[in-house]
Amino acid sequence: MPNDQVITVRGEEDLATRAGHLFTGVNKEFLCAATDMDTWSRPSTRAAIVTRMRPAVQDRDLTVRKLYTSAALADAEQREQLLQVAAVGAQVRICESGLPHETIIIDRRVMILAGPRTHGDREFTVTTSPGLIDPVHGLFDATWEAAVPLADRLELPMIGPDGQAILRTLGAGLTDEVAARRMGISLRTYRRRVAELLRALDSDSRFQAGLRAGELGLSP
């Protein structure tokens, strides 16, 4: 891409076709910020990008920094993926503030911004404009400094789909009877799961559990 160029592509396959070579060209620094690790809807595209990047990632001089929210730690599979990423040398931090759908900066010369999914596909904006890249890079650095290293957040409680459903009923202020009926479970089972959620969140009350979940970024 010529300097200062901005292009927009539609869908992950188009991104891989038109801009996949940019991942191969990473030399010194690869930055990524996203809400969680569920960023690629098409496994084939993810595999193609990873394959292209692998030679560069194996370069000891390459700095890889990845920034996620607590949502990436609430899921067991994503937590394992984060550990694998860190094991190969990437620096991983968790921030409390919200993050965009996904932002990637390569060597401070190329930036890829992902838009929201629409009918299964996303738009990606790819730019080499320093005037656009530098401010976002600075914002990444500031957020990174305020974030917590992955190792310091590994004690985050695991809240699965059932726990998320319980949190939604608590947040809605439903009675136990109504909540149990809405979830399709018995009143006894509902109350048992509420008790399990309170223990997982180290909370003495349902109100405290809701606050704790919000602080950890676990609220649905």
Side-chain angles (χ1 to χ4, degrees), residues 13-36:
E13 292 183 359
D14 196 17
L15 174 67
T17 300
R18 299 181 60 186
H21 63 283
L22 299 174
F23 291 87
T24 307
V26 56
N27 293 313
K28 295 182 179 180
E29 182 183 64
F30 182 88
L31 309 182
C32 176
T35 298
D36 54 37

Side-chain angles (χ1 to χ4, degrees), residues 101-115:
H101 301 285
E102 186 171 18
T103 300
I104 293 173
I105 302 178
I106 300 172
D107 291 337
R108 205 164 182 163
R109 59 180 176 77
V110 178
M111 180 169 65
I112 301 170
L113 303 175

Side-chain angles (χ1 to χ4, degrees), residues 169 172-181 187 190-191 206:
T169 64
L174 303 178
T175 65
D176 287 0
E177 290 77 7
V178 172
R181 188 162 56 249
L187 179 60
Y190 175 79
R191 287 175 173 168
R206 299 180 180 193

